[in-house]
Amino acid sequence: MIDREEEISKLFTIVANTLTHQIIDFEYNDLKIGRGIFIINYLGYYDQCTMSTIVDYMNIPASTATRITDRLVEKNLVKRTVSDKDRRAVVLGLTDLGKEVYLYHEKVQALALAVLLKDLSEEELSIVVKVLRKIVKNIEEFKISKS
């Protein structure tokens, strides 16, 4: 018989692996986007930001964020512009194609979420939300304690 921690670990691994492959394999009209979808989603939600914001949001080194962003710029999904407020700062934003990808991914994400949660009752959905909030809080506290 599997103990609770082992079962939770196995279940989290299944979910994490499935979601990771969904991200790594994400494409739009033959454009391989992969982890760049995190940046596209952020820019779709917040409209624009700096590279340092992306680094903090994704919790990755600046060199990795720059490499991912460079690929998105090459694919005409993201644009770099000089900030109106500070001419030394570069601001990232979505191109029209980037906005298309963002909206498409929103639909894909909504469909995937519907499939994942289809058999849950309202009570179970409330419990899922409550548990996920606690997990996210613990992750945030863990990040702070590591810095």
Side-chain angles (χ1 to χ4, degrees):
M1 176 117 181
I2 303 175
D3 69 353
R4 183 172 298 166
E5 285 83 20
E6 189 177 344
E7 182 177 14
I8 290 170
S9 177
K10 285 183 179 186
L11 292 171
F12 264 121
T13 299
I14 292 168
V15 171
N17 285 343
T18 301
L19 296 176
T20 299
H21 288 292
Q22 290 291 325
I23 293 164
I24 290 170
D25 298 336
F26 184 74
E27 291 185 12
Y28 178 78
N29 290 345
D30 295 327
L31 284 175
K32 185 148 177 57
I33 296 167
R35 289 194 305 169
I37 198 62
F38 289 117
I39 295 172
I40 290 170
N41 282 342
Y42 191 90
L43 292 171
Y45 189 79
Y46 291 104
D47 192 42
Q48 56 181 243
C49 69
T50 62
M51 280 301 296
S52 60
T53 304
I54 294 296
V55 167
D56 292 342
Y57 168 69
M58 292 181 67
N59 196 27
I60 56 175
S63 59
T64 303
T66 300
R67 197 167 44 255
I68 295 169
T69 301
D70 287 345
R71 288 188 199 120
L72 294 173
V73 169
E74 288 170 13
K75 294 174 182 175
N76 192 33
L77 298 169
V78 170
K79 60 186 172 188
R80 290 183 172 106
T81 56
V82 176
S83 169
D84 294 335
K85 297 174 187 164
D86 180 357
R87 296 194 45 79
R88 298 169 294 171
V90 174
V91 177
L92 302 175
L94 291 177
T95 64
D96 288 340
L97 181 58
K99 290 174 187 173
E100 276 182 43
V101 171
Y102 170 70
L103 293 173
Y104 173 75
H105 187 260
E106 287 278 291
K107 289 178 187 172
V108 169
Q109 207 169 19
L111 287 170
L113 196 55
V115 168
L116 291 174
L117 304 176
K118 71 180 169 97
D119 294 329
L120 301 182
S121 68
E122 283 300 316
E123 182 182 353
E124 289 169 325
L125 287 170
S126 295
I127 293 168
V128 167
V129 169
K130 186 176 181 179
V131 169
L132 287 174
R133 283 184 181 144
K134 287 181 179 183
I135 290 171
V136 168
K137 179 179 172 267
N138 291 342
I139 289 170
E140 292 300 321
E141 288 173 2
F142 179 73
K143 281 187 200 175
I144 291 169
S145 71
K146 277 182 66 178
S147 17

